[in-house]
Amino acid sequence: MPTNAQSPAALPSAELPPVLTRGQARAALVRADDLGEAWEPTRGAATWRDELLKATAGRSDCRRLLDVLYTEDLFGTGAATAPRATAALDDVDGGAQLHYRVTSYRAADLDRTLAWLGTLPDTCGRFAARDAHGTTRDVRVTGLPLPEAGDARRGLRVTVGGAAPDDGADEAGTGGGSLTVDLVAVRVGDDAISLTNGTLGAPADDATRTAVEVGTDRLTEARRQGRAQV
């Protein structure tokens, strides 16, 4: 995969009407009871979103990644790429927060975004980010293994440390605590699910994997029903 892939924000695409109705897209969402007893509908955005994700970086791809983690607009900000349905869930025991979206767009453009995500462990494997308070933080990006779901998929694990090494943090870059966010996208035809699962504690791998598996199955079924109604 070339490391100079363009950011998806810079790639134009023809607007196409979505295949899924909004009701079908909502049917493809994951729910709290899919993830376990500790999960419930969100009570509001986690405080770490502004504290640790509202940041910038020198390299454009790394800056784009931070923007995606904060805004969750993975596939773009236009009306054509607006999510068809969304869900936000909280782990009340572990403090994690999972945000989930269903988007309809052209398969080629969705794949272009997945390809861009695939370059980030190389182009942004470790970089410094400056947050809204002026603190420089150490960010690490690694690939995240996913279940064989959908037509194409990509996952990242992003760790935002308490301070970058240049600011006197330890080698792990975790001074002052760290945030871990899983960023995942799965394409099913001309539709895609995307999710973030973030926590200040230990990441709940099972929640991310379950959301991918259950969500992909539901999106596949929603698409089948949509075709049957045409």
Side-chain angles (χ1 to χ4, degrees):
M1 188 69 62
T3 58
N4 61 347
Q6 286 181 271
S7 169
L11 296 167
S13 174
E15 294 187 10
L16 294 177
V19 174
L20 296 180
T21 67
R22 292 195 182 277
Q24 290 164 345
R26 286 193 294 270
L29 295 173
V30 295
R31 299 183 291 267
D33 56 5
D34 296 320
L35 304 182
E37 294 182 357
W39 291 85
E40 64 179 29
T42 190
R43 299 178 182 178
T47 57
W48 43 255
R49 295 188 62 77
D50 282 341
E51 293 175 3
L52 295 174
L53 291 181
K54 197 172 185 179
T56 189
R59 182 160 187 159
S60 60
D61 278 339
C62 306
R63 186 166 60 249
R64 169 65 180 163
L65 172 61
L66 291 171
D67 288 344
V68 164
L69 290 173
Y70 183 70
T71 66
E72 301 186 335
D73 291 321
L74 176 59
F75 296 111
T77 59
T81 52
R84 304 292 293 166
T86 64
L89 305 171
D90 291 342
D91 177 354
V92 295
D93 292 338
Q97 187 165 84
L98 187 145
H99 287 180
Y100 189 95
R101 293 184 168 202
V102 176
T103 301
S104 299
Y105 208 36
R106 284 198 338 187
D109 292 332
L110 299 174
D111 280 342
R112 195 172 287 119
T113 297
L114 297 183
W116 173 72
L117 289 177
T119 68
L120 296 180
D122 291 328
T123 59
C124 299
R126 186 175 189 182
F127 65 95
R130 187 167 295 275
D131 68 16
H133 305 291
T135 301
T136 302
R137 301 190 179 278
D138 186 40
V139 182
R140 300 195 184 201
V141 180
T142 58
L144 182 69
L146 296 175
E148 291 291 323
D151 298 319
R153 70 212 63 84
R154 190 72 71 176
L156 298 176
R157 174 159 289 177
V158 182
T159 303
V160 182
D166 289 346
D167 284 0
D170 55 37
E171 175 60 23
T174 57
S178 62
L179 167 68
T180 300
V181 182
D182 291 346
L183 172 62
V184 174
V186 180
R187 180 179 66 78
V188 181
D190 289 317
D191 303 293
I193 59 174
S194 59
L195 69 89
T196 58
N197 180 20
T199 180
L200 294 175
D205 291 335
D206 56 338
T208 297
R209 293 181 64 86
T210 298
V212 168
E213 291 171 339
V214 172
T216 301
D217 287 346
R218 288 198 180 133
L219 179 55
T220 300
E221 177 61 17
R223 285 174 54 82
R224 186 192 67 78
Q225 292 179 0
R227 287 194 298 268
Q229 294 174 14
V230 173

